[in-house]
Amino acid sequence: MARHLACGDHLLSLDGPRVMGILNVTPDSFSDGGRFLSRDAALRQAWHMVEAGADLVDVGGESTRPGARGVSEAEELSRVVPVIEALAKTLPVPVSVDTRTPAVMRAAADAGAGMINDVCALRGDGALAAAQQTGLPVCLMHMQGEPRTMQTEPRYKDVVAEVRGFLELRIHACLRAEIPRERLLVDPGFGFGKQLAHNLSLLRHLDQLVSLGPPLLVGISRKSMIGQILGGRPVEQRLYGSLAAAVVAALAGARILRVHDVGPTVDALKVIRALHVDERGSGY
Ligand code: YH5
């Protein structure tokens, strides 16, 4: 089934697995050590990801890694908006904004963003209305607890059923707030209030989230579950494990993979894509 997302000035085809490149604009970012803080450096990194085959670029100014504290709205705005403005003008792919702050959603949309990616699934005060007003697609992610404390003692009776139920409730909250179904994506939120066993259950049963209907977005790249599976591997040695997880997710039907290592992920997904091409050379 062919599907498209209307991302502002760009139409994003979701008839196969797509790659979302991660662009952190946080000074305390876990994975890039804050190297991409300056605007020029951020633009270079974004272009590098596009040249490596990224289908969209996700810009985030608030670290939501375990234990991280929130940043002020003014600080987040000043990190994110100039970068989105510059990228949206020049990049040939949509730019999404990783934020749970309504003012940042609005300003990012005005600056040309093509998608909202909210790790709180629009549960924050004013977030549903802000997202609705932008007219942009929204990714609804599951998280148990809040970033500062979410890894303290995450507990579930049935993680897959609970994540599915939560996403279903958030889809309905969006529909009631007049954000139409066509604008929604869902995401299990790997590592957000989850132990390794919870993350593995979700990865094993992704089909139960695909069946919700909206396209599934998955972010596993370099996360601690990969480090744990690999016996405590540090973050800079998690590429091959991350690739394996991305392939598993794509085979289960995930439509957007949120990753740091765009080029290697694009290659891995091309192998999947090749299997879907029939003798006439068409496929997804
Ligand atoms: C996600 O899954 N994740 S920010 C800890 C790491 C590595 C990476 C080294 N925003 C997601 O990427 N948005 C983030 O350990 C997200 N889905 C969506 N939709 C956390 C992150 C990371 C954290």
Side-chain angles (χ1 to χ4, degrees), residues 30-31 64 98 117 119 139 141 187 192 217 219 221-224 235 238 258 260:
F30 195 99
S31 287
T64 46
D98 188 347
N117 174 26
V119 298
C139 178
M141 198 197 79
D187 183 335
F192 284 84
L217 192 154
S221 177
R222 298 187 190 173
K223 283 189 179 171
S224 67
V235 67
R238 296 178 186 170
R258 183 180 177 279
H260 302 85

Side-chain angles (χ1 to χ4, degrees), residues 61-277:
E62 184 200 16
S63 175
T64 46
R65 72 190 161 82
R69 291 186 172 276
V71 295
S72 73
E73 181 181 301
E75 173 70 25
E76 195 188 345
L77 281 167
S78 74
R79 287 181 191 170
V80 158
V81 176
V83 172
I84 290 182
E85 197 162 16
L87 288 178
K89 268 196 255 178
T90 53
L91 282 192
V93 302
V95 178
S96 74
V97 59
D98 188 347
T99 188
R100 45 195 178 136
T101 313
V104 176
M105 294 174 191
R106 287 203 174 84
D110 289 346
M115 186 190 296
I116 294 168
N117 174 26
D118 182 0
V119 298
C120 284
L122 303 182
R123 284 176 294 163
D125 283 348
L128 277 169
Q132 192 277 332
Q133 285 159 15
T134 66
L136 296 176
V138 187
C139 178
L140 304 170
M141 198 197 79
H142 175 272
M143 166 165 52
Q144 185 181 88
E146 49 160 315
R148 197 169 55 79
T149 52
M150 65 191 177
Q151 291 305 102
T152 311
E153 218 175 322
R155 283 188 191 285
Y156 299 86
K157 283 206 189 75
D158 179 340
V159 66
V160 178
E162 287 170 50
V163 168
R164 190 180 202 283
F166 169 89
L167 292 172
E168 216 161 19
L169 287 174
R170 295 315 298 160
I171 290 169
H172 282 101
C174 287
L175 298 178
R176 280 195 303 277
E178 295 179 29
I179 303 174
R181 197 174 275 282
E182 301 72 48
R183 276 170 51 196
L184 300 178
L185 302 100
V186 293
D187 183 335
F190 284 102
F192 284 84
K194 286 148 193 117
Q195 317 262 26
L196 177 60
H198 303 137
N199 290 318
L200 289 173
S201 291
L202 287 165
L203 188 55
R204 195 179 295 120
H205 296 295
L206 277 184
D207 56 313
Q208 294 189 38
L209 303 180
V210 171
S211 70
L212 281 166
L216 186 71
L217 192 154
V218 162
I220 314 181
S221 177
R222 298 187 190 173
K223 283 189 179 171
S224 67
M225 68 179 283
I226 303 296
Q228 288 171 298
I229 292 168
L230 300 179
R233 215 57 95 64
V235 67
E236 66 279 4
Q237 293 173 28
R238 296 178 186 170
L239 171 60
Y240 306 124
S242 297
L243 289 175
V247 167
V248 169
L251 286 175
R255 287 304 159 111
I256 301 183
L257 287 309
R258 183 180 177 279
V259 305
H260 302 85
D261 303 287
V262 170
T265 308
V266 167
D267 276 6
L269 297 182
K270 277 185 182 166
V271 177
I272 297 178
R273 222 182 148 77
L275 301 176
H276 290 257
V277 175

